Amino acid sequence: MLSESDLAAIWLTLKLAATVTLLLLILGTPLAHWLANTRSRWRGPVSALVTLPLILPPTVLGFYLLIFMGPEGPMGKLTESVGLGTLPFTFPGLVFASLLYSLPFVVQPIQNAIEAQGRRHAEVAATLRAGPWDRFWHITLPLAKPGIVTAAVLGFAHTVGEFGVILMIGGNIPGETRVVSVQIYDHVEALEYAQAHWLSAAMLIFSFSVLLALYTLQRRRAASGWRYGP
Amino acid sequence: MPRRYLQGWHRVIRAMDHWIARALLGVTLVAALPAAHSDEITIAVASNFSSPMGEIVSGFEASSDHRVRVALGSSGKLFAQIRHGAPFAAFFSADQDKVRALVAADAADASSRYTYALGRLVLWTTDAELAGRERQALEAGKFRHLAIANPRLAPYGAAALQVIDALGLAEETSTKRVVGENIAQTYQYVASGNAQLGMIALSQVFRDGAITHGSGWLLPDTLHHPIQQDAIILKRATQDGKRTAVDAFWTYLQGPEAQRIIESYGYRVAATSSIDRGPLNAE
């Protein structure tokens, strides 16, 4: 069955996924809003940058993050100069790397949801003297809610399953950086297949339940007339 | 050649057909002639041995008609693949446990088992300030992170932990240790400067008698159990009719040329084949 270190890994994974999802919603929503509405010539390059983490294999991305966040890297120099030390082998380091890696999974659904609304609602609100902040908060966000829920689910699920990046920058420290995926991998590599099966089953059942609950909830709302777009 | 012979595409095509047919015949003959004597085998090799194996394979192929393809991976992954039918003729593990398990599962030829290399550990740093004083830095705790390979997965990690215990530093270093999934990752932790010190395989930073970059303290092998890397011929080789080829490779592997290559990478070679000391924690 699940050992104590398995449980610690599960708890750490949930903590990481929740933190990353929350931060990504806070950072990703304005970004998605900007991308959906801007006519700036930076739109293309920024979109491409947001999607870029999907391209490098996670262990390779993790390798470059190890260098980037290390004492010789630009970010490592910055975090050291403000007294934070370097980020690899720490929980904040995992959060930072996962933010980067899960970014497209959060930004794209929200951006799609905002684009699908069209501009009409916001324009009508503007004629009624609603300011930009008012329009964003009371029109755009509520209408984009299904997209935001999808973004949260994808961001969370993707962070729970994340392996390669964390393997590279984590340092496998119990309770600090050893997440479930790494723990399962350790079991498999150590030929402890039974323990690997148990932990994988727990992870699958948990993830399936969360996803099922969210999609059921979303469906019910849609059925009661609460729909996507205009 | 009459000029009209070359006119008309059908003639050209027919000429080409002849040429292709002749070429094909030639290729078939060339392929068929030595078929009785040459085979291509695929061997599974633990990643830490990839560079010396590359040289060994080149040497072997130069002296033989057989061809060798190398599949790299961690020993645990390769083991799982072998147990599930991967077409490997031989397995070069980073440890003894997995080879022992394959013998127990009747998937390998026990009599072919051979300790092809004895690994050596080095306390390595890329920090110029620690150069030549790696041991003092370790004992005085003058570092933020000490990288070792995962003791559960990597024999080099298990040995590193034994060294730490033997030096009486288990407690002082317990919060400073970071654990690489394998020895390559452990190397990256130190090479990128994120860990100031690391216990890695000497073979990673050693060529022809010297450490090539960074600096290190070669850990005395009295501080840990020998890191014995075993190889074995898989029963699959016989089934696939590749036994002759893999036997020839085994002979080359134990010959002076291969031994010289292995030693040039900082490994020791075993005086006798396969010394079984049992699981590391048994003593």
Side-chain angles (χ1 to χ4, degrees):
Chain A
M1 287 295 286
L2 297 179
S3 69
E4 204 166 301
S5 67
D6 289 343
L7 293 174
I10 290 176
W11 170 241
L12 182 72
T13 306
L14 295 179
K15 197 169 96 174
L16 177 68
T19 312
V20 168
T21 308
L22 190 72
L23 286 174
L24 274 180
L25 287 179
I26 293 170
L27 299 171
T29 309
L31 181 59
H33 185 245
W34 182 78
L35 283 172
N37 289 302
T38 185
R39 290 190 185 137
S40 157
R41 62 198 170 96
W42 294 105
R43 185 181 195 262
V46 172
S47 296
L49 269 180
V50 167
T51 317
L52 216 51
L54 291 182
I55 293 168
L56 278 182
T59 42
V60 177
L61 183 68
F63 173 68
Y64 287 112
L65 281 175
L66 189 69
I67 296 173
F68 181 68
M69 303 197 294
E72 305 297 321
M75 180 156 173
K77 285 188 174 146
L78 182 78
T79 52
E80 277 197 324
S81 69
V82 297
L84 286 173
T86 49
L87 290 181
F89 320 134
T90 65
F91 184 74
L94 293 196
V95 171
F96 176 77
S98 306
L99 281 181
L100 207 69
Y101 194 56
S102 295
L103 188 66
F105 292 85
V106 171
V107 170
Q108 284 180 351
I110 302 179
Q111 186 184 342
N112 290 342
I114 293 176
E115 278 170 356
Q117 297 169 14
R119 290 167 179 275
R120 197 169 154 71
H121 296 87
E123 280 166 7
V124 170
T127 63
L128 298 170
R129 278 190 276 169
W133 181 249
D134 197 15
R135 294 197 303 259
F136 175 69
W137 201 246
H138 291 109
I139 309 284
T140 310
L141 271 193
L143 280 175
K145 209 165 167 186
I148 294 173
V149 172
T150 307
V153 171
L154 284 181
F156 189 86
H158 194 249
T159 311
V160 165
E162 169 43 23
F163 169 68
V165 171
I166 288 171
L167 189 71
M168 290 304 284
I169 63 160
N172 210 341
I173 302 165
E176 173 89 8
T177 59
R178 186 194 289 162
V179 297
V180 170
S181 53
V182 172
Q183 179 87 347
I184 294 175
Y185 179 81
D186 273 16
H187 285 323
V188 169
E189 286 283 297
L191 314 188
E192 295 164 356
Y193 293 167
Q195 272 169 279
H197 295 333
W198 277 114
L199 194 53
S200 302
M203 187 173 171
L204 281 176
I205 292 168
F206 169 78
S207 306
F208 182 79
S209 316
V210 171
L211 293 175
L212 185 68
L214 270 157
Y215 286 129
T216 313
L217 205 70
Q218 233 179 339
R219 225 183 129 75
R220 222 175 272 157
R221 281 198 184 156
S224 63
W226 201 84
R227 289 199 297 120
Y228 211 6
Chain B
M1 195 180 283
R3 203 171 163 194
R4 61 189 160 78
Y5 186 72
L6 290 176
Q7 287 169 349
W9 280 109
H10 66 282
R11 290 198 189 281
V12 176
I13 289 167
R14 194 186 298 165
M16 276 176 68
D17 275 351
H18 279 295
W19 187 83
I20 290 169
R22 238 175 292 163
L24 276 178
L25 185 69
V27 169
T28 316
L29 281 177
V30 169
L33 276 177
H37 311 288
S38 95
D39 269 313
E40 184 176 85
I41 55 171
T42 307
I43 57 174
V45 179
S47 312
N48 82 71
F49 201 66
S50 84
S51 307
M53 186 53 89
E55 280 193 40
I56 291 170
V57 164
S58 310
F60 173 68
E61 288 186 340
S63 69
S64 146
D65 289 333
H66 302 296
R67 292 289 165 263
V68 179
R69 285 193 300 181
V70 175
L72 291 174
S74 70
S75 302
K77 221 171 300 166
L78 294 170
F79 174 87
Q81 291 171 348
I82 291 165
R83 293 293 291 129
H84 293 92
F88 301 137
F91 175 42
F92 288 74
S93 183
D95 63 6
Q96 297 193 305
D97 298 354
K98 288 166 190 86
V99 166
R100 206 180 286 130
L102 286 174
V103 171
D106 202 28
D109 171 8
S111 68
S112 67
R113 190 170 151 193
Y114 171 64
T115 301
Y116 62 95
L118 294 170
R120 295 165 85 189
L121 267 182
V122 61
L123 178 68
W124 187 63
T125 183
T126 50
D127 189 334
E129 281 179 30
L130 297 184
R133 295 185 290 124
E134 297 85 7
R135 180 180 187 167
Q136 291 90 317
L138 178 70
E139 287 176 339
K142 283 185 183 152
F143 58 92
R144 220 169 346 163
H145 290 295
L146 168 68
I148 63 172
N150 192 328
R152 285 178 74 212
L153 308 183
Y156 288 93
L161 208 53
Q162 290 163 4
V163 171
I164 290 169
D165 278 336
L167 293 173
L169 297 170
E171 212 140 287
E172 289 95 310
T173 59
S174 69
T175 55
K176 293 177 165 184
R177 288 202 291 263
V178 291
V179 178
E181 174 248 338
N182 56 38
I183 203 73
Q185 201 177 32
T186 312
Y187 166 86
Q188 284 158 10
Y189 284 164
V190 186
S192 64
N194 283 294
Q196 291 70 43
L197 290 170
M199 291 186 186
I200 62 168
L202 180 64
S203 58
Q204 292 176 292
V205 292
F206 187 88
R207 286 301 168 278
D208 302 321
I211 289 179
T212 51
H213 52 299
S215 66
W217 173 39
L218 184 59
L219 294 166
D221 50 18
T222 47
L223 297 180
H224 61 84
H225 292 167
I227 303 165
Q228 301 191 29
Q229 306 196 179
D230 276 14
I232 199 158
I233 297 176
L234 300 170
K235 294 220 160 147
R236 180 80 200 229
T238 314
Q239 283 168 31
D240 294 349
K242 304 278 176 74
R243 188 59 200 240
T244 317
V246 74
D247 278 339
F249 187 63
W250 236 237
T251 307
Y252 181 82
L253 181 71
Q254 298 179 35
E257 180 61 12
Q259 304 277 301
R260 188 198 58 75
I261 294 169
I262 294 170
E263 280 179 325
S264 76
Y265 281 86
Y267 295 98
R268 284 208 177 94
V269 290
T272 51
S273 73
S274 190
I275 315 140
D276 195 339
R277 292 179 59 105
L280 274 170
N281 51 8
E283 290 176 35

